[in-house]
Amino acid sequence: MRLARFVLLLLTFLAGLCFYFAQGDGSKPAPPDPIIALIATARAELINHAPFPPSSRAPLTAARIHLQAGRPERARALILPELVGEWSAEAHYLLGILESRAQLWQRTLDALTLALTPGAAYPEKPIAPFRLARALEETGRIPAARLAYQLDHDLSGDGEALFRLGLLDIEAGHFPKAKANLENALGRFTQPQARSRTLAALSDISLASNDLSQARDLLEQAAVLHQHPELLHRLAQLCRRMGDTEAAARYAAEAGE
Amino acid sequence: MTDVTDSSGLGILPLRADLEPQALIEVKGGGLALIDGDGDGDLDLFLPRCGGSTSDLSQASGGRYLENLGGLQFRDATATSGLSFSHWSFGSAVGDVNGDGLDDLFVCAHGPNMLFLQKPEGGFMDASDSAGLAATSAWSSAASFGDLDGDGDLDLYVANYVKFDFDSLPKPMLFRGAEVFGGPMGLVAEPDEIYFNQGDGTFIPATAHFASPKPAYGLGVVIADFDANGTQEVFVGNDSGPNFFFQRKGAAPSQGDSASPSQETSAGGSTGTEVHSADEQAALFFTDCGLTSGLAFDQNGLGQATMGITLGDVNRDGLPDLFTTNFMGDRNTLHLNLGDLLFDDATRRWGLGQLSVPYLGWATTFLDLDCDGTEELLVFNGHVYGDLICREQGWKHRQAPLLFGQEGNRFAQIRATEAGQWVLTQGVDRGAVRGDLDGDGDLDLICRSLSGSLRVLRNDALPGRSVLIKLSQPNSKNPSGIGSRIALLGGPEPQHRWITSSGTYQSANAQHAQFGTGPSRGPFHIEVTWPDGTSEKFPNIMPGMNFVLVRGSGQ
């Protein structure tokens, strides 16, 4: 049994390495991030896994309620004693949520790494890779973040991971891939805000090819969906660049400049 | 690059202990300055001290002057340098303010700022009072010299930060759940100061000639001709708010004078100075076009911390693009210069955003480390909060630099396997300077930490693959041509450099331009656009050589 587990881990580690090198982020070669093996292991465990059962640990169930109600310190008080013992992975997941809300990304990463302990079962485990990806991205571990987003997408089919991958693709200069990911995300989003920020990201790709008209069109579509000062500022800048001073002034005023 | 700190004589003890900072003023400095202070042709080092007594901000041990002995060896020559002062000091700027052919040093302090004129026999004399620059007592962060009014001499912009007093420290604040020292938010911003040079190294206040927006927390300033029209603009990096970008507009509306300052320039070969009447001088007017230019904010209209500033031409169009460094959790920012004083935040598209997010950036510079004709981009990093808080919160107090190489229209990180181990060295870094310190034609680096310890990085690029250019304007009030643009032409792509008196972070780089030429044997030619906008060509520029290009001797 131990041998089989070892072989499984070895294979997933190697698969992770292959996947990592196949992805590429446009940067020059870096030593493999050790967390990549963890993501590969999580992939092997979570893909095609049946839904996990509801939590059976009362303090952690209560911690979730406090988290949802915006009472982080009360949640933390319930989570901390659970960080060792049978429910430690679940407790670490909830701790990771707490830390990510405070934007303490290294602490988020530390917690979520333990939350993905193989074999641990709690209802949110399938969405832990997305939260792990955010922490990896914010701590600058981009290749590993890409893998975690990809895993989240494969698990959930959700647009959010595609959106984040699209942004990373823009950073990496992979504009066709970025466009495909963002358009795919756009097709999955129904909320106006999510669609708006995706259109704004697509406009960045248009700017890369110096297609100012298309960039403006996308930003204007985005602004119709969700009129946010950041979007209006970008529109004002773009209109100045295009020489449309009247529109630039209008958007600038709307942005509160 | 090879770290040669130990053998340089600069591995001196830190100027102050690396303690847990208790106040904002303890974490914002400082810079470095390269200046030939003894006329021997090499670059000596000035190190401001931003530490000392916390009960009396006028009591510190001043700066240090470190004489270059050649071969990247330095010795402490502070005692005989004449650089004697005691205030906490932060940034510095280098320029020949009195046109005597010797570079002078301006030091930004908490309290009166200082101007040290270089003496013909070497060393410096304090001319702060006689030059009219010691009148204020603000906390000044950084300064830059440039010919703002177009009369040919070097004027001065001083970026000021906040009103600060150890006796009335701001209340601690919460940052991501951690209690940290307060500021700058909530503190009163100090207005910046501008001075016009009267031609003899004495200055008169000129702040009234700037349409000053609301005072902001100034941390950095650079003066250059951003739109290549023969007048100088001023970019001011402000902490936690909109940056300023001052453009010379001509007559001030409030003066009721519609006359614009003369835009005429003299013929090539002369020193190209403009002479203004007193009325014209009074009418000069700069307006802040930060918002309309796109430099006030990042792409999303958000104010940034804007610590480090560097200029480079990443898209090879001959206009200076601007890169700034920012706080942890924010991105560093690349503003592409589109011409006509319009800029585009292209950070993400150029691959410079997400990698910088975990870092707190300070000094930054474009420089062609490997002399291949394309500039790399370097950022030094380090946290503002102390080690104990950082450990608790999962932040890195000491941080490694980030080095990027350009590949087409984007940058990619260069790692230690290619760059060397020096990119792995973690520090609480602040200012840095670049310059050819050992006379081999490539650019070396010195970086300082918050505590004042230095790191000396020798460039070991292949010899014979670069050209080093110094400018000379004889009989001019700006002999080293601060504000000029230098283009190396004749290679696969044009390369451009700008001669400025300040940069990286609160620092003054060497005022020479280095161009990598790769394996090419040349010849190349240089085109100099002098500060007044006139151009001059210099042919037969051969790799592996240093040149002093004298105005009027070209074509």
Side-chain angles (χ1 to χ4, degrees):
Chain A
M1 189 65 186
R2 279 188 178 177
L3 181 65
R5 187 178 173 84
F6 173 76
V7 169
L8 177 67
L9 283 174
L10 183 66
L11 287 174
T12 51
F13 176 72
L14 292 172
L17 285 184
C18 293
F19 194 59
Y20 160 71
F21 284 115
Q23 291 280 304
D25 69 337
S27 66
K28 300 193 174 178
D33 188 333
I35 211 163
I36 284 169
L38 175 78
I39 297 167
T41 305
R43 169 175 286 276
E45 181 189 9
L46 296 174
I47 290 282
N48 299 323
H49 195 289
F52 287 92
S55 176
S56 58
R57 184 67 175 165
L60 296 179
T61 303
R64 286 181 174 85
I65 292 167
H66 287 306
L67 271 173
Q68 283 178 354
R71 297 188 290 264
E73 290 316 310
R74 294 179 71 175
R76 186 182 295 273
L78 289 164
I79 291 166
L80 292 181
E82 305 292 326
L83 293 177
V84 289
E86 192 178 344
W87 289 274
S88 69
E90 183 177 346
H92 275 103
Y93 172 79
L94 296 174
L95 180 64
I97 301 300
L98 265 176
E99 305 291 22
S100 67
R101 287 186 183 174
Q103 298 181 61
L104 296 170
W105 297 110
Q106 185 58 49
R107 284 166 47 162
T108 305
L109 186 56
D110 294 342
L112 292 178
T113 300
L114 293 166
L116 280 170
T117 301
Y122 54 94
E124 298 94 340
K125 196 170 188 182
I127 59 171
F130 180 81
R131 297 189 177 276
L132 179 77
R134 287 289 295 126
L136 286 164
E137 192 181 345
E138 294 293 330
T139 50
R141 293 161 77 167
I142 307 300
R146 295 179 67 89
L147 287 179
Y149 282 132
Q150 190 61 53
L151 172 56
D152 175 74
H153 172 64
D154 294 344
L155 288 170
S156 69
D158 186 63
E160 196 59 40
L162 288 170
F163 173 75
R164 303 299 313 184
L165 280 168
L167 295 183
L168 291 179
D169 288 332
I170 294 174
E171 284 262 354
H174 300 153
F175 297 118
K177 199 170 157 190
K179 191 172 181 211
N181 273 328
L182 290 171
E183 286 178 345
N184 202 348
L186 191 65
R188 291 159 197 258
F189 285 142
T190 52
Q191 295 296 319
Q193 276 180 254
R195 291 180 60 79
S196 173
R197 60 183 153 86
T198 310
L199 287 163
L202 281 164
S203 79
D204 226 17
I205 299 172
S206 303
L207 287 177
S209 57
N210 215 27
D211 189 341
L212 304 188
S213 298
Q214 187 177 59
R216 177 176 173 175
D217 182 49
L218 288 162
L219 280 180
E220 287 179 333
Q221 286 182 51
V224 167
L225 287 168
H226 179 58
Q227 198 169 59
H228 191 275
E230 293 178 10
L231 273 179
L232 296 166
H233 173 83
R234 287 172 70 170
L235 266 168
Q237 276 304 110
L238 189 52
C239 289
R240 284 180 189 121
R241 191 173 164 182
M242 296 172 78
D244 188 346
T245 51
E246 193 178 315
R250 189 175 69 247
Y251 286 125
E254 288 175 16
E257 286 182 3
Chain B
M1 303 287 276
T2 305
D3 189 329
V4 295
T5 309
D6 289 342
S7 62
S8 69
L10 293 180
I12 52 179
L13 287 173
L15 293 181
R16 65 181 171 88
D18 195 3
L19 301 172
E20 292 285 306
Q22 303 298 314
L24 182 67
I25 198 167
E26 295 178 274
V27 302
K28 289 294 182 180
L32 292 167
L34 289 175
I35 180 170
D36 180 5
D38 50 15
D40 65 357
D42 60 26
L43 292 163
D44 309 299
L45 182 69
F46 173 70
L47 171 66
R49 170 172 177 161
C50 35
S53 168
T54 55
S55 60
D56 184 353
L57 284 167
S58 68
Q59 293 304 312
S61 66
R64 287 194 183 186
Y65 175 74
L66 301 141
E67 181 190 354
N68 189 340
L69 303 174
L72 277 170
Q73 304 278 312
F74 292 80
R75 75 173 181 98
D76 191 336
T78 310
T80 56
S81 68
L83 296 171
S84 174
F85 61 93
S86 61
H87 284 84
W88 286 43
S89 50
F90 296 85
S92 44
V94 170
D96 180 359
V97 299
N98 53 2
D100 64 354
L102 301 169
D103 278 338
D104 308 305
L105 179 68
F106 181 79
V107 181
C108 299
H110 183 286
N113 295 319
M114 290 152 286
L115 176 69
F116 293 99
L117 296 180
Q118 190 174 161
K119 297 186 289 187
E121 66 271 26
F124 297 85
M125 57 180 283
D126 187 347
S128 316
D129 285 323
S130 59
L133 295 174
T136 62
S137 58
W139 172 4
S140 299
S141 319
S144 191
F145 289 116
D147 183 9
L148 298 176
D149 54 7
D151 65 358
D153 56 28
L154 291 176
D155 310 303
L156 178 66
Y157 192 105
V158 183
N160 290 335
Y161 198 50
V162 298
K163 290 190 188 302
F164 181 88
D165 186 346
F166 267 111
D167 291 334
S168 54
L169 287 177
K171 286 180 185 169
M173 62 179 199
L174 280 180
F175 177 72
R176 295 191 180 177
E179 187 175 287
V180 296
F181 53 78
M185 300 304 283
L187 297 182
V188 177
E190 288 275 20
D192 295 345
E193 298 162 42
I194 304 106
Y195 299 91
F196 284 161
N197 193 330
Q198 299 187 99
D200 57 358
T202 64
F203 293 81
I204 53 170
T207 310
H209 299 294
F210 279 62
S212 180
K214 190 177 163 189
Y217 309 132
L219 277 180
V221 53
V222 65
I223 298 174
D225 185 358
F226 283 86
D227 55 356
N229 73 342
T231 61
Q232 305 281 309
E233 286 79 39
V234 186
F235 173 78
V236 185
N238 292 321
D239 193 353
S240 310
N243 300 315
F244 301 152
F245 188 47
F246 290 108
Q247 175 193 15
R248 196 168 121 189
K249 297 293 275 188
S254 58
Q255 305 277 335
D257 180 354
S258 60
S260 294
S262 167
Q263 296 291 322
E264 292 176 7
T265 54
S266 57
S270 79
T271 54
T273 58
E274 291 177 58
V275 178
H276 296 301
S277 68
D279 287 342
E280 283 178 317
Q281 187 91 348
L284 282 173
F285 187 69
F286 282 75
T287 188
D288 177 22
C289 61
L291 209 52
T292 53
S293 70
L295 287 180
F297 298 116
D298 73 355
Q299 181 187 44
N300 293 319
L302 301 175
Q304 299 186 288
T306 316
M307 274 82 86
I309 305 170
T310 188
L311 302 181
D313 183 13
V314 302
N315 55 357
R316 310 269 185 171
D317 63 356
L319 296 170
D321 307 304
L322 191 106
F323 182 79
T324 59
T325 59
N326 294 304
F327 207 80
M328 177 195 78
D330 194 1
R331 294 170 176 78
N332 295 333
T333 306
L334 174 67
H335 290 282
L336 280 188
N337 190 334
L338 304 172
D340 297 325
L341 300 182
L342 274 176
F343 291 79
D344 173 29
D345 176 352
T347 311
R348 192 188 291 279
R349 301 195 300 277
W350 282 67
L352 288 168
Q354 199 59 40
L355 272 176
S356 66
V357 169
Y359 295 87
L360 206 162
W362 299 92
T364 181
T365 182
F366 287 105
L367 76 176
D368 188 354
L369 281 175
D370 53 1
C371 303
D372 67 347
T374 301
E375 287 190 297
E376 283 74 45
L377 175 60
L378 177 61
V379 180
F380 288 101
N381 304 295
H383 220 289
V384 291
Y385 300 131
D387 192 37
L388 287 177
I389 290 175
C390 286
R391 280 174 197 260
E392 173 70 20
Q393 300 301 98
W395 306 326
K396 284 184 178 169
H397 177 62
R398 304 174 73 85
Q399 301 180 352
L402 285 169
L403 178 67
F404 299 94
Q406 191 176 345
E407 296 171 351
N409 284 347
R410 66 181 307 275
F411 285 88
Q413 190 177 6
I414 303 175
R415 299 180 192 277
T417 46
E418 196 176 340
Q421 293 298 302
W422 67 276
V423 296
L424 299 177
T425 303
Q426 297 184 345
V428 191
D429 294 333
R430 292 296 187 267
V433 281
R434 57 155 205 259
D436 180 12
L437 300 173
D438 52 4
D440 65 356
D442 56 32
L443 292 180
D444 311 295
L445 282 161
I446 302 178
C447 168
R448 71 165 287 170
S449 73
L450 176 63
S451 66
S453 61
L454 298 170
R455 211 148 78 244
V456 185
L457 300 166
R458 184 188 66 211
N459 194 336
D460 295 324
L462 290 172
R465 293 190 170 208
S466 66
V467 168
L468 202 73
I469 304 291
K470 274 192 80 170
L471 300 180
S472 172
Q473 297 194 95
N475 307 315
S476 159
K477 295 171 185 171
N478 175 13
S480 51
I482 289 172
S484 300
R485 181 184 72 171
I486 308 177
L488 179 86
L489 306 170
E493 292 184 284
Q495 299 183 50
H496 296 90
R497 307 283 186 267
W498 286 263
I499 303 296
T500 60
S501 74
S502 63
T504 80
Y505 175 69
Q506 298 185 342
S507 296
N509 289 314
Q511 287 169 6
H512 51 218
Q514 180 263 0
F515 297 93
T517 55
S520 169
R521 294 182 177 182
F524 300 93
H525 65 276
I526 290 283
E527 183 175 281
V528 178
T529 306
W530 300 99
D532 60 13
T534 57
S535 293
E536 195 170 358
K537 286 185 179 149
F538 296 85
N540 298 318
I541 301 293
M542 306 304 291
M545 297 178 69
N546 299 350
F547 295 86
V548 178
L549 303 182
V550 180
R551 184 163 186 168
S553 66
Q555 299 169 356

